[in-house]
Amino acid sequence: MLHKPLGLLAELTHRCPLGCPYCSNPLTLDAREDELDTATWLRVFREAAELGVLQLHLSGGEPATRRDLVDLAAGAHAAGLYTNLITSAVGITEETLGALAESGLDHVQISVQDSDAASADRIAGYAGAFARKRALAAAVVRHNLLLTVNAVVHRANIDRIGEMVDLALALGASRIEIAHVQYYGWALKNRAALMPSRAQVERAATALAELRSRHHGRIVIDAVIPDYYARYPKPCVGGWGRRSLNVTPGGKVLPCHAAESLTGLEFWNVRQHSLADIWANSPAFNAFRGTAWMKEPCASCPRRELDFGGCRCQAFALTGDAAATDPVCQLAPDHARVAELAAVQTDAPYVYRRMASRHRADLDGDGMA
């Protein structure tokens, strides 16, 4: 059965002012001159709505580096899509935010690296980023837009989850997403420096249960156990090619944002194909759709329709086989490898994701360029 996609992640650009050590953009970035133009993006949004997509996430990189961002948001609204802006908050003025609100933007998601300003700026690799995030969050609330705070957690900040929830409440957010680092792509370069200890993960789980009880009805707190400490894997974006799709700045359409890390897949482009054609017929989308591709133990597992074998990108990163059971699963033949990797923790300085920018943190002794 071919499901209809519900969500589209539109990566408008890979340009970004931050240098996060867990950057989720691919290792090979799309150049500015290769980005889709305004008209093509607007066609993609219309085709997405016709295909059944309900939610559109305008992301990057930093989407504010696109001069046509307001036009894109207006086109998404005209297509009938619920539109969410995912931003670092660096580069968006209140004037631009006001124009976005007028264009029909529904929601803003701001990434926050920590509740402590100095730590947040150090993790982001950008001096003053935390102050900009607070300022934009206040503007979002003034413009009556819904606000979500996205907090990516790891060893340096996981013990401050309570403070990050307090920050989200103070900013006026209706939701906070506690998102543990996913270890593929750039984050693999920093896995040992970012990996939390089991004791930290257990303390965080206890804290989250208490926080959800204390703040019930005030804020939604979304969080899951980090992969390397879980018993079973999470379903990859709700199942590969099942509920969501991702369009890169250059127009490739992916089943998930990290799918380009898998070698040997053929990704069709919106410049040559309609979104409906890609969803139904692209070799990449059909590669791991459903359960027929599964090997044991997934093929006969009663959970195969729940987690769909886990994350294909993680399986490939850890085993070299994209069709392998996600090693996070306790039933996976390679599960012991996950425990071995989680035990490797160092205090090495981060390898930051460096892109062209006039504004960089200058923190001596922290590995900052």
Side-chain angles (χ1 to χ4, degrees):
M1 174 183 177
L2 184 64
H3 293 82
K4 289 184 177 181
L6 300 178
L8 170 66
L9 179 68
E11 291 187 332
L12 304 179
T13 181
H14 282 153
R15 289 173 281 151
C16 183
L18 305 188
C20 301
Y22 45 75
C23 177
S24 62
N25 284 336
L27 294 180
T28 301
L29 303 175
D30 290 348
R32 179 176 183 173
E33 57 268 23
D34 295 330
E35 294 173 5
L36 297 179
D37 61 20
T38 309
T40 304
W41 274 119
L42 295 180
R43 171 178 62 80
V44 169
F45 297 163
R46 293 191 297 270
E47 291 180 355
E50 292 168 1
L51 190 56
V53 169
L54 302 176
Q55 295 186 348
L56 171 68
H57 306 280
L58 300 176
S59 182
E62 173 47 59
T65 61
R66 293 274 307 213
R67 295 181 180 178
D68 59 353
L69 180 58
V70 174
D71 293 333
L72 294 175
H77 178 72
L81 297 169
Y82 182 92
T83 306
N84 173 38
L85 176 67
I86 302 175
T87 177
S88 69
V90 177
I92 297 184
T93 64
E94 178 144 8
E95 180 181 2
T96 299
L97 183 67
L100 287 166
E102 288 293 325
S103 75
L105 183 69
D106 297 289
H107 185 277
V108 177
Q109 177 177 310
I110 298 176
S111 63
V112 173
Q113 281 69 31
D114 204 337
S115 58
D116 175 78
S119 176
D121 288 355
R122 174 183 172 272
I123 294 167
Y126 189 106
F130 184 79
R132 289 176 179 240
K133 294 169 188 292
R134 293 197 67 130
L136 184 67
V140 168
V141 173
R142 282 196 298 273
H143 285 280
N144 296 313
L145 293 168
L146 291 173
L147 173 66
T148 288
V149 167
N150 175 262
V152 180
V153 296
H154 43 83
R155 179 147 44 99
N157 61 12
I158 190 172
D159 291 322
R160 287 188 290 277
I161 284 179
E163 289 87 342
M164 285 188 270
V165 171
D166 289 343
L167 173 63
L169 284 164
L171 294 176
S174 59
R175 176 175 172 266
I176 180 170
E177 181 179 280
I178 307 295
H180 288 270
V181 170
Q182 298 291 300
Y183 295 103
Y184 38 69
W186 194 267
L188 282 175
K189 299 176 183 290
N190 294 289
R191 180 169 53 198
L194 293 167
M195 185 68 67
S197 68
R198 179 171 292 279
Q200 284 184 304
V201 171
E202 291 173 351
R203 286 197 300 271
T206 300
L208 281 167
E210 191 277 328
L211 288 164
R212 283 173 169 150
S213 176
R214 188 199 317 168
H215 297 302
H216 180 71
R218 297 181 64 202
I219 189 169
V220 175
I221 303 174
D222 287 338
V224 295
I225 297 294
D227 284 352
Y228 280 50
Y229 292 99
R231 294 179 62 203
Y232 296 108
K234 297 185 290 291
C236 177
V237 290
W240 183 279
R242 192 167 182 267
R243 289 301 186 192
S244 65
L245 36 70
N246 178 84
V247 182
T248 70
K252 290 181 184 178
V253 185
L254 316 176
C256 77
H257 73 277
E260 286 180 287
S261 66
L262 305 182
T263 58
L265 291 184
E266 179 185 350
F267 301 105
W268 287 2
N269 195 297
V270 295
R271 289 186 169 108
Q272 290 83 39
H273 299 268
S274 71
L275 211 56
D277 185 23
I278 295 171
W279 179 254
N281 303 309
S282 164
F285 275 82
N286 286 314
F288 303 110
R289 183 175 263 155
T291 59
W293 58 272
M294 291 181 177
K295 302 177 181 181
E296 293 294 347
C298 292
S300 59
C301 179
R303 293 180 56 87
R304 65 184 179 276
E305 298 280 359
L306 298 176
D307 57 36
F308 302 97
C311 175
R312 297 301 87 222
C313 302
Q314 189 157 254
F316 182 74
L318 295 180
T319 72
D321 180 5
T325 301
D326 187 339
V328 163
C329 181
Q330 63 178 354
L331 304 175
D334 302 290
H335 181 64
R337 177 67 175 148
V338 174
E340 292 171 2
L341 292 170
V344 179
Q345 298 165 21
T346 72
D347 293 322
Y350 298 144
V351 179
Y352 288 89
R353 189 70 186 267
R354 288 306 184 199
M355 303 174 198
S357 175
R358 292 174 298 171
H359 305 285
R360 292 296 179 196
D362 184 17
L363 306 175
D364 293 336
D366 285 312
M368 310 286 293

